[in-house]
Amino acid sequence: MKVAVTYDNGSVFQHFGRTEEFMIYTIEDGKITDKEKVDASSTGGHGALAPFLADHGVEALICGGIGGGARAALSSCGIKIYPGVEGSAEEAAEAYAAGKLEYNENAECHHHDHEGDHECHHEGEGHHCCH
């Protein structure tokens, strides 16, 4: 399976919607077997990140803060969310692989009051949804 971690200089980036890089780990039999850093800076952020991750085969996301709109977009793409994680991206992925990841299901990003009301109406503007 593939798990993405919001990534900034080796650490879990704390604002999902502004993530410019993800480290995507391939996990087999409880161990990381491969990793790839992907550039997401040209996606437009926020709602466009969910289909970007889905296009990379990601099934789970480890992140810091995340808003309601992003949660809904990821859910519509079938991506499970593990928010509220801090520290080393590699250590978080290893903990996930071992079934020992500590996360905060209720961790949110409150930088965008509008994000929870996000509607998927940006088709054709580089944004699409995974319905």
Side-chain angles (χ1 to χ4, degrees):
M1 85 169 302
K2 290 188 177 184
V3 60
V5 180
T6 55
Y7 191 81
D8 181 39
N9 199 27
S11 296
V12 177
F13 186 63
Q14 294 302 300
H15 184 137
F16 172 77
R18 292 189 180 159
T19 303
E20 293 189 2
E21 292 182 322
F22 290 93
M23 188 66 77
I24 299 178
Y25 297 90
T26 302
I27 298 173
E28 296 174 10
D29 299 322
K31 299 199 182 302
I32 296 171
T33 59
D34 193 23
K35 65 182 179 180
E36 173 189 14
K37 185 167 33 171
V38 295
D39 180 0
S41 61
S42 63
T43 64
H46 291 95
L49 291 172
F52 173 82
L53 292 173
D55 289 347
H56 282 83
V58 170
E59 299 173 54
L61 169 73
I62 297 170
C63 63
I66 185 166
R71 285 174 181 267
L74 288 160
S75 178
S76 75
C77 289
I79 298 173
K80 181 133 175 69
I81 307 163
Y82 298 88
V85 178
E86 297 180 3
S88 163
E90 188 92 8
E91 289 175 11
E94 289 171 353
Y96 177 85
K100 298 179 180 179
L101 179 67
E102 293 184 22
Y103 65 99
N104 178 356
E105 181 65 37
N106 299 313
E108 292 187 15
C109 182
H110 296 287
H111 301 309
H112 306 283
D113 292 335
H114 70 277
E115 192 168 5
D117 297 326
H118 177 79
E119 296 291 331
C120 293
H121 54 58
H122 300 291
E123 291 283 346
E125 295 177 23
H127 174 92
H128 60 282
C129 298
C130 302
H131 295 296

